[in-house]
Amino acid sequence: MRAIGVERTGGLDALQQVTVPVPEPGPDELRIGVAFAAANWSDIQKRQGIYPDPVGYPVILGAEVSGIVSAIGPGVRGLAIGQRVAALCGPRLLGGYADAVVVPAAYVLRLPGDLPLDQAAALPLATLTAFHLLHTAYRIRAGQVVMVHAIAGSVGLAVTQVAGMAGARVIGTVGRPGKSGLPRRMGAELVIDRSSEDFVERALAFTDGRGVDLIIDSLGGEILPRSFDALRFHGHLINIGEAAGEPDFPVRKKLYERSTSMAGFEVLHAAPGSRTWRRGVRFVEDAVARGRLRMPVGAIFPFEDVAAMHAALEGRGTSGKLLLAVGGGSPA
Ligand SMILES: NC(=O)c1ccc[n+]([C@@H]2O[C@H](COP(=O)([O-])OP(=O)(O)OC[C@H]3O[C@@H](n4cnc5c(N)ncnc54)[C@H](OP(=O)(O)O)[C@@H]3O)[C@@H](O)[C@H]2O)c1
């Protein structure tokens, strides 16, 4: 079968089409014939070799897919060959840019019959991340104000919707002009363009000087330390990534200025298969089926154009999810 592999980390030319054997599912696993694979920022970091967790190369990239179940291993219940599903590519969020991928059954989302497979591929990672950020790592409450950096990206859009469903108010930042439309349509009350506006001033003005309750930061760099100035006293910041680079700042001093707190977050620490994990899967499946949670698709690229997909995401002008059309499934 075809797959997009990275043997030596680097630029776009590190993305190589390779031929590999079709994988066979083991116990509690199933194989999906991939219709669409979604692009994630972490795919770029894995291609570049800067993903913080160790990744043994060569790898096949791809953290999430949609498609049709094509084989089932022993012990899998409630899923059938021919069923349309979306899934995280377990156990290490790799392998999805391929004609087929094997995933643990715990990583699968069951889809409503009318959801096109392109929209389905955009769902798993961002929506499960948003759920566990707001309901496992934090206890979001109605009326709280959440600020999300990179709000036009998939995680930002998912946090906007999941926080809105809990009755929280959402504001966010983007790094380029022209990226506010989607987050506003998803319920964000304010989208701040960091390239021309001071996000701390705007966030304080939005909250009448009080500061926001929670910040979700995926950027790090100089944006992370500055973000504490936009928190209320005893506010909380959760860092989930470092797209703008490793932050270098006196954390203790910053935390003491407003008695704030900070946490790290990794979605797989919600332990796929556990009760906590299943709560997230049920929440997403139910919200998608009721039409309350969706992930807009920004663009779909042919399998051969995987480098163009990475270039578009890296260029930071996109909003919504970028997808790779792999094969099979319903048309986009
Ligand atoms: N810890 C976890 O469990 C977990 C799970 C899923 C995702 N994540 C992280 O969440 C983030 C969002 O993921 P995504 O796939 O949805 O990506 P995304 O938000 O679509 O893309 C990343 C965004 O980061 C911003 N950015 C990139 N480079 C930057 C730089 N040098 N300086 C400032 N901003 C920069 C850009 O948005 P703006 O310029 O508009 O800000 C870019 O669009 C990523 O950092 C990812 O690694 C973490």
Side-chain angles (χ1 to χ4, degrees), residues 8-331:
R8 281 195 199 82
T9 59
L12 296 175
D13 56 3
L15 297 164
Q16 299 289 336
Q17 187 170 319
V18 293
T19 303
V20 295
V22 175
E24 291 302 327
D28 301 319
E29 293 179 336
L30 50 89
R31 186 175 68 218
I32 300 170
V34 177
F36 296 92
N40 284 282
W41 194 256
S42 54
D43 301 343
I44 290 173
Q45 294 181 311
K46 286 169 189 162
R47 189 201 79 219
Q48 294 172 330
I50 60 169
Y51 188 67
D53 292 339
V55 176
Y57 295 90
V59 292
I60 296 171
L61 292 181
E64 59 185 337
V65 298
S66 65
I68 311 287
V69 178
S70 61
I72 288 191
V76 175
R77 293 206 179 82
L79 289 158
I81 289 177
Q83 191 168 344
R84 300 158 73 258
V85 292
L88 289 179
C89 301
R92 295 176 52 236
L93 303 183
L94 288 164
Y97 295 4
D99 285 319
V101 63
V102 163
V103 306
Y107 283 51
V108 170
L109 294 178
R110 290 146 180 90
L111 303 175
D114 56 350
L115 187 75
L117 283 175
D118 57 339
Q119 291 175 33
L123 287 169
L125 188 54
T127 57
L128 289 167
T129 296
F131 175 84
H132 288 296
L133 270 171
L134 296 170
H135 292 290
T136 304
Y138 193 75
R139 299 276 181 262
I140 191 77
R141 293 194 305 278
Q144 288 186 318
V145 179
V146 183
M147 180 161 78
V148 196
H149 290 309
I151 194 171
S154 59
V155 171
L157 294 172
V159 167
T160 302
Q161 295 173 79
V162 175
M165 287 163 71
R169 304 176 67 193
V170 180
I171 66 174
T173 77
V174 292
R176 300 262 196 281
K179 293 175 76 171
S180 63
L182 267 183
R184 291 303 299 268
R185 284 201 287 285
M186 298 279 156
E189 291 184 45
L190 172 70
V191 179
I192 306 160
D193 177 0
R194 300 190 311 276
S195 68
S196 60
E197 301 173 284
D198 184 317
F199 74 84
V200 172
E201 274 176 20
R202 295 292 312 273
L204 291 176
F206 182 82
T207 53
D208 297 324
R210 174 178 173 267
V212 305
D213 296 283
L214 173 68
I215 295 179
I216 307 294
D217 169 51
S218 58
L219 302 179
E222 294 174 355
I223 296 160
L224 170 55
R226 182 118 174 76
S227 296
F228 286 95
D229 301 336
L231 277 178
R232 68 165 166 85
F233 288 96
H234 302 108
H236 188 58
L237 181 148
I238 307 181
N239 176 263
I240 64 167
E242 47 189 21
E246 186 85 34
D248 175 19
F249 72 105
V251 183
R252 187 173 180 279
K253 179 171 176 295
K254 213 63 211 168
L255 297 179
Y256 268 67
E257 281 173 8
R258 299 170 83 84
S259 294
T260 52
S261 56
M262 171 180 165
F265 174 88
E266 159 56 52
V267 64
L268 293 181
H269 291 166
S274 68
R275 259 173 74 173
T276 301
W277 183 262
R278 287 199 302 273
R279 214 160 57 92
V281 168
R282 274 198 306 273
F283 173 91
V284 170
E285 288 176 346
D286 184 61
V288 170
R290 289 167 187 263
R292 298 187 68 194
L293 183 59
R294 65 190 184 91
M295 183 52 57
V297 174
I300 301 179
F301 294 80
F303 190 72
E304 294 68 29
D305 289 349
V306 62
M309 179 177 79
H310 271 222
L313 190 56
E314 235 174 317
R316 294 171 50 189
T318 61
S319 54
K321 203 82 174 180
L322 305 186
L323 302 182
L324 197 59
V326 182
S330 62

